[in-house]
Amino acid sequence: MAGEVNIRASLARPYLAAAATPQVAYLLIEVTPGQVMTQVRAPVNVCFVVDRSGSMKGDKIDRVRRATIRAIEMLDAQDVVSVVIFDHRTEVLIPSTPVSNPAELIDRINRVRDSGGTRIAPAVEAGLREIDKGPSQMVRRLILLTDGQTENESDCLRRAEDAGRRNVPITALGVGKDWNEDLLIEMANRSGGTADYIDRPEKIVDYFQTAIQRAQATTVQNASLTLRLVQGVLPRAVWQVYPLITNLGYRPISDRDVNVPLGELETGTGRTLLVEVLVEPRPAGEYRIAQAEVSYDIPLLNLHGEKSRADIMLAFTTDAGLTAQVNASVMNIVEKVSAFKLQTRALQDLAAGDVAGATQKLQSAVTRLLNQGEVDLAQTMQREIQHLQQTGKLSSEGQKTIKFGVQKTVRLSDIKQEE
């Protein structure tokens, strides 16, 4: 069978100068399930692990109930769901069960009330146990939502590592401003999932919906990209840029070949990577600088070890008009990655007590965000720079907005509009 996975490569600059010095080239590689995969819907085994502590009282707990109900309504009898609620205690509200009687499940969710403190690790452990009860071939997800600090953060990280070993990515969501974003980010990273910041309770429903939609669209498993570079082309960095910016790194497998694990691919989105390479001088002409090969499995179609390939071409020229040409969309991604790297280094400076260095890097990030049209995020960052200069630190809310906002190449609102 062909056409399950497509590869498209675009260059930030389609022409490099036929000069005497090495040059950096940026390649945008899009790996997406093909049109044939739009007819395939993955069965999902999902556990919602939700905070019902006293700080969730009012609108937050109400929105969580609505969000969980809406998510269950998106599932059917081929799917498995479980719900774990926690404060300083853990309760399995809905044990792992097929979604054959949604009304009964919804009735249980409507009874959830706020109380107590916050202990995340035992709740995640209980959630993983419930997921383990379902068939292993299903797409497995744990959706964690909290609004508070927890004790025993090291236990949370160990449970996240357990999730990663079980192939259960954690979608870690923090609502409000009084939770530890570094903990949730690290839990997501260790499990192979994602973390995000929900600044207002009314957005919880959209985030839960999106998490379920993405799980149902996950049809390709065990995807892996191998870049076979020609002599004179050296890899420097590999970044995931959609939907979140992440430094993926790479694993050398020979003198010129590198491998990048991609994991799961979602129909309609897939994975988009920005690859930075150093290209040695060449005379004018067009050259193949690399071949991209993606291997993958599609268990739902009983396909294993399938491969797709695409050659990557680059032209060298002495024409100054051609070397000035740029691919605006790819260059925009390059700028977004640059802004992300700046804010990351700024936060590292701040943690080391270098307020001046952090301020300088954040100001540079503001300039890049404005160039990308990210006006709201740039204004938030500018306010935080003023706060930093006055107090020597960032506000809790501002720090979360910066960390999560700069990481996104596509906003949740943009995804909703595309749908």
Side-chain angles (χ1 to χ4, degrees):
M1 189 173 179
E4 304 95 6
V5 173
N6 298 324
I7 306 171
R8 185 173 73 171
S10 307
L11 289 152
R13 294 182 179 275
Y15 297 92
L16 292 185
T21 57
Q23 299 170 77
V24 172
Y26 291 98
L27 322 172
L28 193 73
I29 300 178
E30 299 168 86
V31 182
T32 54
Q35 186 65 29
V36 66
M37 300 306 298
T38 59
Q39 306 305 313
V40 180
R41 200 280 248 180
V44 174
N45 177 0
V46 59
C47 180
F48 296 92
V49 178
V50 295
D51 190 340
R52 58 98 176 262
S53 60
S55 57
M56 291 287 292
K57 184 177 181 178
D59 196 25
K60 282 188 279 190
I61 197 70
D62 179 58
R63 298 286 181 169
V64 165
R65 285 192 293 262
R66 291 194 215 176
T68 309
I69 289 169
R70 177 66 190 111
I72 287 174
E73 289 173 343
M74 297 170 67
L75 304 173
D76 55 36
Q78 70 174 314
D79 302 306
V80 172
V81 71
S82 52
V83 177
V84 174
I85 56 177
F86 68 94
D87 42 50
H88 59 281
R89 303 152 299 181
T90 294
E91 177 187 347
V92 178
L93 181 70
I94 298 176
S96 178
T97 183
V99 186
S100 53
N101 188 352
E104 179 185 341
L105 306 179
I106 289 168
D107 182 60
R108 293 192 211 177
I109 291 166
N110 275 324
R111 300 177 197 169
V112 174
R113 297 293 181 267
D114 57 277
S115 68
T118 305
R119 290 186 67 202
I120 293 175
V124 172
E125 184 176 10
L128 291 174
R129 284 198 300 269
E130 293 305 316
I131 289 174
D132 281 345
K133 295 176 183 178
S136 59
Q137 69 271 23
M138 302 177 81
V139 173
R140 289 143 61 101
R141 291 289 185 275
L142 189 149
I143 300 174
L144 167 68
L145 181 137
T146 185
D147 77 333
Q149 305 280 345
T150 182
E151 57 185 62
N152 298 330
E153 292 188 352
S154 59
D155 287 346
C156 294
L157 298 179
R158 281 192 285 271
R159 297 297 80 76
E161 290 171 355
D162 291 343
R165 284 190 289 269
R166 287 168 153 103
N167 194 28
V168 181
I170 295 175
T171 301
L173 304 172
V175 61
K177 58 184 180 180
D178 296 322
W179 48 277
N180 183 349
E181 67 272 15
D182 293 327
L183 173 63
L184 293 198
I185 290 170
E186 189 59 24
M187 289 181 69
N189 289 342
R190 294 193 186 193
S191 69
T194 58
D196 215 333
Y197 166 41
I198 305 178
D199 59 349
R200 298 196 305 276
E202 57 266 29
K203 295 182 180 180
I204 295 173
V205 174
D206 284 344
Y207 275 86
F208 275 34
Q209 265 187 262
T210 299
I212 293 298
Q213 288 168 339
R214 292 184 61 183
Q216 291 173 332
T218 301
T219 52
V220 178
Q221 306 283 341
N222 303 320
S224 179
L225 169 69
T226 298
L227 276 178
R228 308 189 191 283
L229 304 168
V230 304
Q231 188 169 0
V233 180
L234 300 174
R236 294 193 6 157
V238 179
W239 295 81
Q240 175 183 285
V241 295
Y242 177 88
L244 300 175
I245 299 174
T246 307
N247 188 350
L248 292 179
Y250 55 84
R251 180 173 61 90
I253 54 177
S254 72
D255 289 346
R256 296 194 300 270
D257 297 347
V258 298
N259 178 262
V260 183
L262 302 179
E264 300 174 335
L265 301 180
E266 299 166 22
T267 301
T269 56
R271 294 286 187 107
T272 302
L273 311 179
L274 183 70
V275 181
E276 181 182 337
V277 296
L278 186 66
V279 184
E280 292 182 357
R282 280 172 167 73
E286 187 176 32
Y287 302 87
R288 184 174 72 92
I289 62 168
Q291 183 187 70
E293 178 185 276
V294 175
S295 62
Y296 57 91
D297 301 333
I298 305 177
L300 292 169
L301 300 180
N302 201 29
L303 297 175
H304 301 277
E306 299 294 311
K307 289 181 170 60
S308 294
R309 298 180 180 90
D311 288 338
I312 301 172
M313 309 297 292
L314 175 61
F316 287 76
T317 182
T318 56
D319 186 334
L322 291 177
T323 59
Q325 292 181 10
V326 298
N327 183 321
S329 60
V330 179
M331 287 303 296
N332 185 261
I333 292 292
V334 173
E335 283 292 295
K336 288 179 185 292
V337 171
S338 295
F340 176 77
K341 289 190 284 188
L342 281 166
Q343 71 90 13
T344 300
R345 291 200 294 268
L347 293 173
Q348 290 169 348
D349 285 351
L350 193 56
D354 184 0
V355 174
T359 301
Q360 183 182 37
K361 292 178 178 66
L362 288 175
Q363 195 65 65
S364 297
V366 166
T367 301
R368 282 174 166 77
L369 290 170
L370 288 173
N371 289 340
Q372 299 158 26
E374 296 279 5
V375 178
D376 290 346
L377 186 55
Q379 289 175 344
T380 296
M381 191 174 289
Q382 191 63 58
R383 288 193 297 270
E384 285 302 308
I385 290 171
Q386 294 170 355
H387 191 275
L388 177 61
Q389 290 170 329
Q390 292 167 3
T391 67
K393 60 182 181 180
L394 301 173
S395 72
S396 175
E397 188 172 4
Q399 184 163 278
K400 290 176 173 61
T401 300
I402 291 171
K403 283 185 180 180
F404 290 99
V406 178
Q407 192 183 22
K408 295 180 184 179
T409 50
V410 177
R411 302 284 176 259
L412 179 66
S413 58
D414 297 331
I415 296 172
K416 289 294 178 186
Q417 288 167 9
E418 290 170 9
E419 290 164 358

